[in-house]
Amino acid sequence: MQNAEIARLLSDVADLLEISAGNPFKVRAYRNAARTVADHADPIAELVSGGDFDLTDLPGIGGGIAKEITALVETGTLPQRQQLVATIPPGLLDLLRIPGLGPKRVKLFHEKLKVNSVADLKDALEKGSDLDQMTEAVHVAAAIRGGATLVHGIQMRHHATSLGM
């Protein structure tokens, strides 16, 4: 497992914590750990596999996150991420892939407009949901429309491929 993949999964945990109103200090800790892992010159997975490297020696990585990274390297899954994914609608993760949408805005759309997926977001925009509710900036709304169309198209292509079309 590459450092970039470990960092992405740690960032996912930070986003999921933010969406689910997690402790802001914990959100920051996961973001800092993700940056540390991404910027580290040596492959973290190899260092962990070697067994004699203490991840807590790296800046921004405490004992809890070190255990998470170790579990990720050993099992291929990040326990905290798995727990958080089980608590939110699965489509919310896809919304984070839309340019211009971060965890705070995804949380807002989910709570205020009951948007649970890319398709829900597209429907809300097409039905003429008040863009003031959706966002304060018109340029962001345009990015959301374009990003939602892009992500939805990719999802449909993957679905068609999985069906053998």
Side-chain angles (χ1 to χ4, degrees):
M1 181 170 288
Q2 302 294 318
N3 287 359
E5 178 67 8
I6 295 170
R8 186 189 62 78
L9 292 170
L10 291 170
S11 291
D12 281 357
V13 170
D15 290 343
L16 291 166
L17 283 167
E18 201 164 339
I19 290 170
S20 63
N23 180 330
F25 295 105
K26 197 170 185 179
V27 172
R28 187 177 318 132
Y30 273 93
R31 292 207 193 287
N32 289 340
R35 273 192 297 277
T36 296
V37 169
D39 294 342
H40 200 273
D42 298 320
I44 297 292
E46 289 179 20
L47 296 173
V48 169
S49 297
D52 58 348
F53 184 77
D54 186 1
L55 286 170
T56 60
D57 288 342
L58 297 175
I61 297 183
I65 294 177
K67 288 179 186 174
E68 290 282 320
I69 294 171
T70 301
L72 174 61
V73 170
E74 292 174 352
T75 67
T77 61
L78 200 57
Q80 179 74 28
R81 185 179 184 281
Q82 297 303 103
Q83 290 172 342
L84 290 165
V85 165
T87 65
I88 66 165
L92 291 184
L93 282 176
D94 292 332
L95 290 173
L96 290 170
R97 289 168 179 69
I98 297 173
L101 284 185
K104 290 178 185 173
R105 194 163 279 135
V106 167
K107 179 182 177 186
L108 177 72
F109 291 170
H110 175 65
E111 291 175 351
K112 302 285 185 196
L113 300 173
K114 307 302 181 224
V115 169
N116 292 321
S117 67
V118 173
D120 289 349
L121 180 61
K122 275 188 78 170
D123 289 345
L125 288 167
E126 288 171 1
K127 289 178 184 173
S129 288
D130 184 7
L131 287 181
D132 288 336
Q133 289 178 331
M134 300 294 289
T135 183
E136 295 174 5
V138 174
H139 71 278
V140 174
I144 291 168
R145 279 193 181 102
T149 300
L150 174 70
V151 171
H152 187 67
I154 291 169
Q155 288 174 333
M156 297 312 297
R157 184 177 55 188
H158 288 310
H159 183 66
T161 302
S162 70
L163 294 174
M165 299 177 110

